Amino acid sequence: MNVPLLLQHPHQHLLKGLLRTPLRRYHCIFRSSAHLGSESPRARPWDSPGLHWTKWPLLSDCLRRPLCVHTILKEHTEGLSDKEQRFVDKLYTGLIQGQRACLAEAITLIESTHKRKKELAQVLLQKVLGYHREQERLNKGQPRAFRVGAGKSTFIEYFGKMLTERGHKLSVLAVDPSSCASGGSLLGDKTRMTELSRDMNAYIRPSPTRGTLGGVTRTTNEAILLCEGGGYDIILIETVGVGQSEFAVADMVDMFVLLLPPAGGDELQGIKRGIIEMADLVAITKSDGDLIVPARRIQAEYVSALKLLRRRSRVWKPKVVRISARSGEGIAEMWDKMREFRDLMLGSGELTARRQQQQKVWMWNLIQESVLEHFRAHPAVREQIPLLERKVLSGALPPGLAADLLLKAFQTRTNEMYPTQ
């Protein structure tokens, strides 16, 4: 691990402190230089199960040694009880056999916040990833599923029925916004997709955001892997319909489709440059009846606007199409454009490269969440939070200064406990 490079991260001071602190959420096991053939840990881990850092003060030395991933996975599996092993095996076997109940139970497992269940979920995901690699090898290295990000339940209903009638298996991962007050979600996507929800070749899974930034749950990316393991060859991610969620979804799909209604009063003035740049295809919806004329006008304006933006791909130029989920106009042609995109991206190798980059992005997103969680749980920070929050609420202290004081408390206590050698 290149520590100087790691410390170029925006939260470099926080990460520097964390590197000096034994994290209780991760298990750092390394091969001993004297026993390269064995996979025994160099030091006894913390007592709680799962992944942890070693207890001994050898972190600076450990960072210079290669991480033995296979040993970690082996200990994870061997740490399961017989009952837990049977449970994971049952889910995995049922999942790859296409049993919808096992897929639903597997997604529920990865969404759980229970510590032990999260560890079981990681064991299951590792088995599914191994299955993925084998399937891609049999498919000459090409992915077997096509991931698409798009919103609007009405569109997904019609589009999904068209795909299943053509012999595809479709999975819809719909993300519903959670209430900030109660934490609850309506999870009403199935009620808006009545026909599709009864289709045995379609699987709809609504998930609450639980306040996650961007409206996409941290487990959505893992749910995609499970759906692909279940044999679904097209995965649709439906967003909550707010700007930040589009950015989050674009980082987990092969193709990002931006759906825009005509005559919304926003038009070109409201184009969010960043979101438009992320779009591989722009679809003007409700292109029927009295809205045909404004839809054509908006289409022309977006075609002109896209010419001014930097392209994400060397082989694909974003297109603008008009569709109607009520009459079905343009949806078959839209699917033709999507297949053209998939073929071009696969042929050029850009789709594989995009997926690899997305995995790295999501790794760092999860690291940031874990770092923040560890920071808030730090004793020095936990002691100061109530006082500083009260001062910020009363206006006696600006938020920026309060944040600096918390970071200072974290750094000071960490430096005292783990001085630089």
Side-chain angles (χ1 to χ4, degrees), residues 95-96 98 103 107 128-129 131-132 135-136 143-148 169 171 173 221-237 252-254 351 355 359:
L95 178 69
I96 64 175
L103 173 59
I107 295 178
V128 174
L129 278 173
Y131 176 75
H132 268 285
Q135 291 298 306
E136 289 186 0
R144 298 178 63 87
F146 185 39
R147 306 170 182 174
V148 180
K169 289 192 68 177
S171 176
L173 299 176
N221 201 36
E222 296 170 340
I224 292 174
L225 294 176
L226 295 179
C227 289
E228 292 179 0
Y232 292 91
D233 61 327
I234 299 177
I235 315 295
L236 276 176
I237 316 296
M252 66 173 69
V253 295
D254 301 326
L351 190 143
R355 285 196 177 188
Q359 294 303 308

Side-chain angles (χ1 to χ4, degrees), residues 336-347:
D336 291 337
K337 298 287 187 186
M338 295 167 72
R339 288 192 301 170
E340 179 187 353
F341 168 87
R342 181 184 59 188
D343 294 341
L344 286 172
M345 294 291 283
L346 279 173

Side-chain angles (χ1 to χ4, degrees), residues 268 271 273 276-277 300-312 317-318 320:
L268 276 178
I271 285 184
R273 183 185 179 97
I276 295 296
E277 284 183 336
E301 291 175 350
Y302 273 75
V303 168
S304 300
L306 286 172
K307 294 178 182 178
L308 306 176
L309 301 180
R310 179 175 56 87
R311 288 167 55 178
R312 299 176 65 200
K317 181 180 179 181
V320 184

Side-chain angles (χ1 to χ4, degrees), residues 153-210:
S153 301
T154 306
F155 161 75
I156 293 177
E157 166 89 304
Y158 190 98
F159 183 60
K161 287 296 296 180
M162 183 194 75
L163 292 176
T164 57
E165 288 171 0
R166 295 188 180 192
H168 293 284
K169 289 192 68 177
L170 171 71
S171 176
V172 180
L173 299 176
V175 183
D176 272 10
S178 299
S179 166
C180 294
S182 65
S185 298
L186 292 176
L187 302 180
D189 293 274
K190 285 193 175 183
T191 64
R192 298 192 296 271
M193 305 179 197
T194 52
E195 292 295 324
L196 192 60
S197 63
R198 291 195 291 263
D199 194 323
M200 292 307 296
N201 287 321
Y203 176 77
I204 303 175
R205 174 73 183 207
S207 300
T209 63
R210 297 192 183 99

Side-chain angles (χ1 to χ4, degrees), residues 384-399 402 405:
Q384 296 293 327
I385 285 178
L387 173 63
L388 292 177
E389 283 184 343
R390 286 197 300 270
K391 289 186 176 295
V392 170
L393 288 172
S394 65
L397 202 64
L405 290 173

Side-chain angles (χ1 to χ4, degrees), residues 3 21 28 46 84 98 112 149 151 177 233 259 275 302 333 366 377 401 411 414 420:
V3 178
T21 308
C28 185
W46 291 90
E84 290 172 336
S112 174
D233 61 327
L259 302 181
I275 297 177
Y302 273 75
E333 292 77 7
L366 297 178
L401 179 56
Q411 282 184 274
T414 302
T420 304

Side-chain angles (χ1 to χ4, degrees), residues 36-55:
L36 290 177
S38 67
E39 295 187 351
S40 57
R42 292 196 54 189
R44 185 173 66 85
W46 291 90
D47 295 331
S48 56
L51 300 177
H52 314 274
W53 289 100
T54 52
K55 184 175 180 180

